[in-house]
Amino acid sequence: MIPLRVIGVAHGILFLSAGMEYQELLRDTAVEPATVLSVNGRRDGTVVRLDVGRDEPRLTVQLDPRATFRDGPYQMRLRRPLQRSATKAYAVASVEPAIATNAAQTGED
């Protein structure tokens, strides 16, 4: 599980950021087609891109037009990649709002 924070939302695109300590792990992570943003078991968007060329890696999510934007902490789950992404050790399994107990653990110092 990788904690994420919202750094922006515009025109149906949600921008999430992971801390610098996750940069190396995310360099070895693929984004595969149809990776979901899940809210309460409902698909609220699709992960489009993972940009690790920054100090804080950024995840870009295309929100479903019917989705209601939720501000607050999110988390990313990783899994083994599908065969077509096998050049990376991990793939993004899903992105979801962080549960309350995890939210306290992801606060900044």
Side-chain angles (χ1 to χ4, degrees):
M1 221 67 85
I2 297 175
L4 303 167
R5 64 183 175 84
V6 175
I7 55 171
V9 63
H11 307 291
I13 303 289
L14 175 63
F15 300 96
L16 301 167
S17 177
M20 284 179 23
E21 64 271 24
Y22 297 101
Q23 189 171 25
E24 287 303 315
L25 175 65
L26 294 176
R27 280 185 205 277
D28 213 13
T29 300
V31 172
E32 297 175 335
T35 300
V36 299
L37 166 69
S38 177
V39 178
N40 297 327
R42 187 183 73 232
R43 180 185 175 133
D44 267 7
T46 304
V47 178
V48 177
R49 190 176 98 165
L50 176 60
D51 179 6
V52 293
R54 302 172 184 267
D55 287 340
E56 285 190 7
R58 293 188 182 172
L59 196 68
T60 305
V61 177
Q62 174 70 54
L63 293 173
D64 185 299
R66 298 163 292 185
T68 302
F69 169 67
R70 291 163 173 44
D71 198 358
Y74 283 80
Q75 60 194 16
M76 178 184 349
R77 293 180 187 267
L78 299 181
R79 62 170 168 73
R80 293 185 182 193
L82 299 174
Q83 188 174 5
R84 65 180 166 269
S85 302
T87 59
K88 303 277 186 168
Y90 306 99
V92 178
S94 67
V95 174
E96 55 204 34
I99 36 184
T101 55
N102 285 346
Q105 296 172 1
T106 61
E108 294 182 8
D109 296 323

